[in-house]
Amino acid sequence: MKNVLVVVDMQKDFIDGALGTKEAEAVVDKVAETIRSFEGDIVFTRDTHFENYLETQEGRNLPVVHCIKDTEGWQIDRKLAALCPNGMKIFDKVTFGSVALAEYLKADKELECVTLAGLCTDICVISNALLIKANMPEIRVRVLEACCAGVTPQSHKNALEAMKMCQIEIM
């Protein structure tokens, strides 16, 4: 059985930077423990924007500059990156869900389970979980509730409930 852990957008700007929250800070150690104990491959997504962010549709709807490529806020959390001394497989994405990630996972014919952890439950975690489930309906998709945080505690809960309805396991 092949398992993949997808660590979604565990970047400085979402943890304690431009869009950071105390809930996001609280999950870093839990995500680190999950990475340490996970039996399978580990991949990361990284929210990636550019200097023209405020001119994009997302920037007009969320006018908070964040995750600008090659800035400190764009980087994967140092504690988590240190757990991958041989480097990390990272999917940079300019939108909430990564089509490239879903295609990468779909190409693995031995894959049986995808587990997701990260930020934000109600935006990028749910987007990636649904993309994966839509592309591979027979693959087991799980989300680790304690290793995710939403924009607000209520939107985190709402996203978990929505994913349950789409046959994504909430662990």
Side-chain angles (χ1 to χ4, degrees):
M1 179 169 145
K2 184 166 181 193
N3 298 307
V4 174
L5 173 65
V6 178
V7 181
V8 178
D9 297 1
M10 290 297 294
Q11 296 162 261
K12 182 169 180 42
D13 272 348
F14 289 128
I15 297 168
D16 60 4
L19 292 171
T21 64
K22 64 183 183 345
E23 293 84 7
E25 288 180 44
V27 302
V28 173
D29 288 338
K30 295 171 188 168
V31 173
E33 181 53 40
T34 299
I35 290 170
R36 276 190 217 92
S37 64
F38 192 77
E39 294 183 22
D41 294 342
I42 300 169
V43 299
F44 291 76
T45 67
R46 183 167 50 197
D47 196 42
T48 302
H49 300 295
F50 304 94
E51 293 300 324
N52 70 336
Y53 172 74
L54 293 175
E55 299 166 20
T56 67
Q57 181 175 334
E58 181 181 331
R60 289 188 296 274
N61 286 294
L62 176 65
V64 178
V65 175
H66 66 283
C67 299
I68 303 299
K69 186 174 182 173
D70 296 325
T71 65
E72 184 179 347
W74 176 71
Q75 300 299 329
I76 301 292
D77 179 80
R78 286 188 181 118
K79 181 186 293 187
L80 303 180
L83 296 173
C84 303
N86 297 324
M88 299 178 289
K89 173 88 174 147
I90 300 174
F91 292 88
D92 290 337
K93 57 187 186 54
V94 296
T95 187
F96 306 131
S98 173
V99 172
L101 169 66
E103 290 171 349
Y104 167 82
L105 294 169
K106 190 173 185 175
D108 188 337
K109 301 304 178 196
E110 296 177 20
L111 184 63
E112 292 189 27
C113 182
V114 177
T115 303
L116 293 97
L119 304 170
C120 294
T121 319
D122 44 339
I123 302 173
C124 294
V125 174
I126 192 172
S127 295
N128 283 288
L130 291 171
L131 262 172
I132 293 164
K133 193 65 171 173
N135 277 278
M136 297 167 284
E138 297 305 318
I139 295 293
R140 184 176 180 202
V141 179
R142 307 179 319 164
V143 171
L144 302 176
E145 180 176 0
C147 292
C148 294
V151 173
T152 68
Q154 186 59 50
S155 63
H156 167 76
K157 289 177 186 171
N158 292 346
L160 295 172
E161 289 302 315
M163 286 186 278
K164 281 182 193 176
M165 296 304 295
C166 294
Q167 300 177 2
I168 294 167
E169 297 174 48
I170 306 303
M171 310 294 292

